[in-house]
Amino acid sequence: NAGVMQNPRHLVRRRGQEARLRCSPMKGHSHVYWYRQLPEEGLKFMVYLQKENIIDESGMPKERFSAEFPKEGPSILRIQQVVRGDSAAYFCASSYNGRGARSNQPQHFGDGTRLSIL
Amino acid sequence: SQQGEEDPQALSIQEGENATMNCSYKTSINNLQWYRQNSGRGLVHLILIRSNEREKHSGRLRVTLDTSKKSSSLLITASRAADTASYFCATIPRNSGNTPLVFGKGTRLSVIA
């Protein structure tokens, strides 16, 4: 499967624990986006990363949330000291914006991680 | 606030009928994209229309864009039960590069066999 891979698909945490969500972009894609979706809502942008760089984190809560996209390995969205309000579906998308690419390439989405906080 | 707002919020039709969904947005855009989301899955890119285009076709899909009214429509012809999903419009603001998409709340389409 050459698509965007997210794991785990479902994650259950108790209040105060840490949640780590992983995203492997499509092969050849160097741009990763994280979105959050509440029930019956659209996706809300959280953070945009390229390899080893955070490009735009304007949608990230100021505290407890962090993201990285290391040179090797998947992108990680980390939520510390989770609270009930963090329960949501978290989606990762990737796009190809390398040399020769036209602007505004479509984003390809993973199937998401559904985070439930007890 | 939401950049894109889809209308209607929910739509139920019989198999074989056409389904029309509308999207309105607030600011000038580079392009507008439509995505489909099946229950419990991620979003699937359907079609992208640039700000200098007025209409685009892809199979049974037809998208129009009216930049003067800041609106777009997605038409699915000869609908099938498998078209049942939520449909979202998403925009890239004008003069933006590779920036994140801004999504509306979606239209939930139910196609009854």
Side-chain angles (χ1 to χ4, degrees), chain B residues 6-70:
Chain B
E6 290 90 346
D7 168 59
Q9 289 188 0
L11 180 62
S12 183
I13 59 174
Q14 296 288 331
E15 202 167 31
E17 294 180 336
N18 295 341
T20 300
M21 290 158 272
N22 303 297
C23 168
S24 59
Y25 56 92
K26 296 184 175 74
T27 63
S28 296
I29 58 172
N30 266 352
N31 66 61
L32 185 144
Q33 304 177 32
W34 283 92
Y35 286 79
R36 183 187 74 223
Q37 184 180 34
N38 290 87
S39 180
R41 304 297 299 271
L43 274 71
V44 174
H45 180 261
L46 295 176
I47 198 164
L48 181 154
I49 186 166
R50 301 186 191 282
S51 59
N52 61 353
E53 296 176 309
R54 291 296 166 259
E55 187 171 312
K56 204 161 183 180
H57 297 255
S58 176
R60 294 184 296 113
L61 305 180
R62 172 177 168 254
V63 168
T64 62
L65 179 64
D66 186 337
T67 53
S68 66
K69 295 181 180 178
K70 292 187 169 58

Side-chain angles (χ1 to χ4, degrees), chain A residues 25-37:
Chain A
M26 282 184 70
K27 188 176 181 180
H29 286 192
S30 59
H31 295 237
V32 166
Y33 310 80
W34 285 93
Y35 296 85
R36 177 164 61 179
Q37 185 179 34

